[in-house]
Coordinates of all heavy atoms in Angstrom, one line a residue:
F214 N 32.8 15.6 -24.3 CA 31.7 16.3 -23.7 C 31.6 16.0 -22.2 O 31.4 17.0 -21.4 CB 30.4 15.9 -24.4 CG 29.1 16.4 -23.8 CD1 28.6 17.7 -24.1 CD2 28.4 15.6 -22.8 CE1 27.5 18.2 -23.4 CE2 27.3 16.1 -22.2 CZ 26.8 17.4 -22.5
T362 N 2.4 -2.9 -1.0 CA 1.5 -1.8 -0.6 C 1.7 -1.2 0.8 O 1.2 -0.2 1.2 CB 0.0 -2.2 -0.7 OG1 -0.2 -3.3 0.1 CG2 -0.3 -2.6 -2.2
R417 N 14.3 7.1 16.8 CA 13.7 7.4 18.0 C 13.7 8.9 18.3 O 14.8 9.6 18.1 CB 14.4 6.7 19.2 CG 14.1 5.2 19.4 CD 14.9 4.7 20.6 NE 14.6 3.3 20.7 CZ 13.6 2.7 21.4 NH1 12.7 3.5 22.0 NH2 13.5 1.4 21.5
Q451 N -0.5 8.9 22.0 CA -0.1 10.3 21.9 C -1.2 11.2 22.5 O -2.3 11.1 22.2 CB 0.1 10.7 20.4 CG 0.6 12.1 20.2 CD 1.0 12.3 18.8 OE1 0.4 11.7 17.9 NE2 1.9 13.2 18.6
A476 N -4.7 9.3 21.8 CA -5.0 8.3 20.7 C -3.9 7.4 20.5 O -2.7 7.8 20.8 CB -5.4 9.0 19.4
A568 N -43.7 31.0 9.0 CA -43.6 30.8 10.4 C -45.0 30.4 10.9 O -46.0 31.2 10.7 CB -43.2 32.1 11.1
R580 N -32.9 21.4 6.4 CA -33.6 20.1 6.8 C -32.6 19.0 6.3 O -31.7 19.1 5.5 CB -34.9 19.9 6.1 CG -34.9 19.8 4.6 CD -36.2 19.5 4.0 NE -36.2 19.5 2.5 CZ -35.8 18.4 1.8 NH1 -35.5 17.3 2.5 NH2 -35.8 18.4 0.5
T762 N 1.7 11.6 40.8 CA 1.7 10.4 39.9 C 2.6 10.5 38.7 O 3.0 9.5 38.1 CB 0.2 10.1 39.4 OG1 -0.3 11.2 38.7 CG2 -0.7 9.8 40.6
T773 N 19.8 3.9 19.7 CA 20.5 3.0 18.8 C 19.8 3.2 17.4 O 18.7 3.7 17.3 CB 20.3 1.5 19.2 OG1 18.9 1.2 19.2 CG2 20.9 1.2 20.5

Side-chain angles (χ1 to χ4, degrees):
F214 171 86
T362 61
R417 286 182 181 271
Q451 183 173 30
R580 65 173 179 85
T762 59
T773 60

